[in-house]
Amino acid sequence: MACEWHSAPLGELISYIGKGVAPKYINDGPDATMVLGQKCVRNQALQYEQARFHNSAEKAVNPDKEVRKGDILVNATGVGSAGRVAQVMADPSRQCITDGHVITLRAKDINPFYLGYFVKSKQNTIELMAEGSTGQTEMNRQRLQNEIIVTFPESKDLQKRIAEYGLAIDKKIAVNNQLNDYLEQCLLARYDHLFRGAGTYNGTISDIGDVVGGATPSKKRPEYYCHEGIGWITPKDLSNTTNKFVAHGADDITRVGFDSCSIKKLPAGTVLFSSRAPIGYIAIASDEVTTNQGFKSIVPHKEIGTAFVYCFLVRNKDRIADAGSGTTFPEVSGKTMAGIELTLPNINLCAKFEEWASPLLEEQRHLEDENRQLEDLRDTLLPKLMSGEIDVSKVDLTQLTNNHLADY
């Protein structure tokens, strides 16, 4: 017999809803409790590396406020932040809470991961529930509970099976990210071995590449902002992603028309460096791109190559940031960027490094592209499964494997 489907307001399917605490921040230590804030809820996943720490000896933690496996976290405040959703997929490795800018939802009478994927599928709708003036937006918890209508199968087994499809895709994405982290460590370790600490400064960034600032197309020319042409990158684009490569298949990047004579087109292989607060986001153009004025990008000299320039910027981004000027909006000028000192690399060694590094960079780009496709698959498939439009028994994800590094 076919399974019955039901619908209910989100508020009827949760046992707890509440904001976190006002932390007493300290450095990590014996009395420190991990605190997840808005920066930790990004791209529908939790970034624990962005967490801060609360002094639990000075201010005790209510057990209800402790983050648990299955909890759904929703950012509660801030333009561009309120409404972002993530879920706690495993028990935290230590005592963990949220701050007062994050709402916790705890499921009842429904598979928590089914509910988590359903809520994440409604993130665009939830973001519109933030109310208030610019800079003071606040998530309306009553609307969140009443207006998000959850559809779900009566069978708990079917709920679990549907959630497992999302978990399978997310696990594959996580494995790809682990592989990418490993490749990044290999790349930087090789760079350190060959180039770091060798000799004294005898050159500048202008000796390894051309420093190119970004620009802003005229708002009087709407054709500059169109859905054709090349990628238009801003620091915000990089702050909202963990991807290292931009422009290649990035449908979420604004496109700028080719007819914009004031826009400086940067070739594939250009290394982008955000030079205006926040300073230090780094990416590699995998296709022709343009940027706004928040970047000082480096087009590597042919004999130097992308790999050396990228690694140099990663290892020296704090030093470059310290060279910026300004208080409200610190910025590294083009002249300052071009004059950053370095030890000029041996050209032959650079060529060998580029030859060795190119397959690693290509593999990282491939893994990022695959993750975008997996995210699209997840975000398209799950809503159809959770509405009953697609029969869960008709979907097979057993082909999700990791063979990318078999030749390394």
Side-chain angles (χ1 to χ4, degrees):
M1 186 174 67
C3 175
E4 292 188 15
W5 284 74
H6 303 283
S7 62
L10 176 61
E12 294 182 10
L13 299 171
I14 55 176
S15 62
Y16 172 82
I17 179 172
K19 291 184 179 180
V21 305
K24 302 289 186 180
Y25 286 117
I26 59 171
N27 293 326
D28 195 7
D31 296 323
T33 296
M34 182 179 287
V35 182
L36 301 179
Q38 291 172 300
K39 290 183 178 180
C40 300
V41 180
R42 195 178 293 274
N43 299 321
Q44 296 198 349
L46 288 177
Q47 299 183 10
Y48 286 96
E49 64 274 13
Q50 298 289 338
R52 300 174 69 183
F53 299 95
H54 162 69
N55 189 342
S56 53
E58 182 177 340
K59 184 178 180 180
V61 175
N62 182 332
D64 282 341
K65 302 288 186 180
E66 291 187 29
V67 172
R68 308 173 189 176
K69 179 180 178 179
D71 281 354
I72 303 163
L73 307 185
V74 182
N75 282 353
T77 61
V79 176
S81 173
R84 291 204 305 247
V85 182
Q87 186 166 27
V88 183
M89 308 307 288
D91 287 318
S93 59
R94 57 189 292 177
Q95 187 182 47
C96 185
I97 57 175
T98 62
D99 68 18
H101 299 287
V102 178
I103 298 169
T104 298
L105 307 174
R106 196 161 290 150
K108 72 172 182 181
D109 301 327
I110 190 171
N111 182 282
F113 296 109
Y114 180 95
L115 184 63
Y117 281 115
F118 190 95
V119 173
K120 285 188 281 188
S121 75
K122 299 297 182 180
Q123 177 171 300
N124 291 340
T125 301
I126 294 172
E127 289 174 346
L128 298 176
M129 295 179 180
E131 301 172 349
S133 59
T134 302
Q136 302 294 325
T137 54
E138 181 83 15
M139 182 59 55
N140 187 316
R141 282 187 279 177
Q142 203 58 49
R143 288 186 63 191
L144 180 64
Q145 295 179 79
N146 295 341
E147 296 180 22
I148 297 300
I149 306 300
V150 182
T151 57
F152 57 97
E154 184 176 39
S155 166
K156 295 290 181 65
D157 179 64
L158 190 54
Q159 293 173 21
K160 179 182 177 184
R161 288 171 61 194
I162 292 172
E164 284 175 345
Y165 285 104
L167 292 168
I169 294 173
D170 282 342
K171 182 178 180 181
K172 179 65 166 62
I173 291 172
V175 170
N176 283 355
N177 286 334
Q178 288 177 336
L179 291 174
N180 252 344
D181 289 344
Y182 168 72
L183 292 172
E184 187 78 353
Q185 291 170 27
C186 290
L187 178 69
L188 292 172
R190 184 70 170 170
Y191 167 85
D192 291 344
H193 175 71
L194 294 175
F195 300 108
R196 285 191 89 185
T200 57
Y201 294 156
N202 62 344
T204 65
I205 280 182
S206 61
D207 293 311
I208 64 172
D210 297 326
V211 177
V212 182
T216 301
S218 171
K219 294 181 180 179
K220 296 179 181 179
R221 297 285 300 276
E223 65 268 24
Y224 289 176
Y225 296 95
C226 61
H227 296 293
E228 305 295 335
I230 57 180
W232 171 252
I233 314 299
T234 71
K236 184 179 178 181
D237 294 320
L238 300 190
S239 70
N240 289 329
T241 181
T242 58
N243 288 341
K244 174 175 174 175
F245 293 87
V246 294
H248 187 87
D251 294 333
D252 56 336
I253 298 297
T254 304
R255 314 305 283 185
V256 178
F258 281 106
D259 60 347
S260 174
C261 59
S262 66
I263 298 301
K264 301 171 183 177
K265 301 170 187 175
L266 304 172
T270 298
V271 185
L272 281 55
F273 185 93
S274 65
S275 56
R276 180 181 294 182
I279 299 172
Y281 288 117
I282 303 170
I284 298 174
S286 56
D287 204 343
E288 191 176 43
V289 301
T290 59
T291 73
N292 76 351
Q293 66 272 35
F295 286 93
K296 298 298 180 292
S297 302
I298 301 178
V299 182
H301 291 164
K302 186 176 181 180
E303 67 273 17
I304 298 296
T306 295
F308 177 88
V309 173
Y310 171 80
C311 291
F312 173 81
L313 292 179
V314 169
R315 289 306 196 210
N316 291 275
K317 65 179 180 180
D318 291 338
R319 181 162 68 93
I320 297 171
D322 289 342
S325 59
T327 53
T328 305
F329 298 103
E331 181 173 8
V332 180
S333 69
K335 182 178 179 180
T336 298
M337 188 72 171
I340 295 293
E341 294 182 318
L342 52 76
T343 301
L344 291 177
N346 178 283
I347 299 302
N348 291 331
L349 200 56
C350 260
K352 291 180 180 179
F353 181 60
E354 185 73 14
E355 182 180 7
W356 176 86
S358 291
L360 271 70
L361 295 176
E362 179 63 21
E363 185 59 34
Q364 286 185 302
R365 186 194 62 77
H366 171 74
L367 289 167
E368 287 186 3
D369 286 347
E370 183 174 78
N371 276 357
R372 289 190 187 96
Q373 295 169 5
L374 288 168
E375 290 166 0
D376 289 343
L377 172 63
R378 178 196 63 202
D379 297 342
T380 302
L381 175 65
L382 284 179
K384 295 182 182 295
L385 289 172
M386 291 186 292
S387 67
E389 182 179 344
I390 294 180
D391 184 347
V392 68
S393 66
K394 305 298 184 183
V395 182
D396 178 18
L397 297 181
T398 56
Q399 70 273 24
L400 293 181
T401 59
N402 278 93
N403 297 314
H404 304 97
L405 300 184
D407 296 331
Y408 282 84

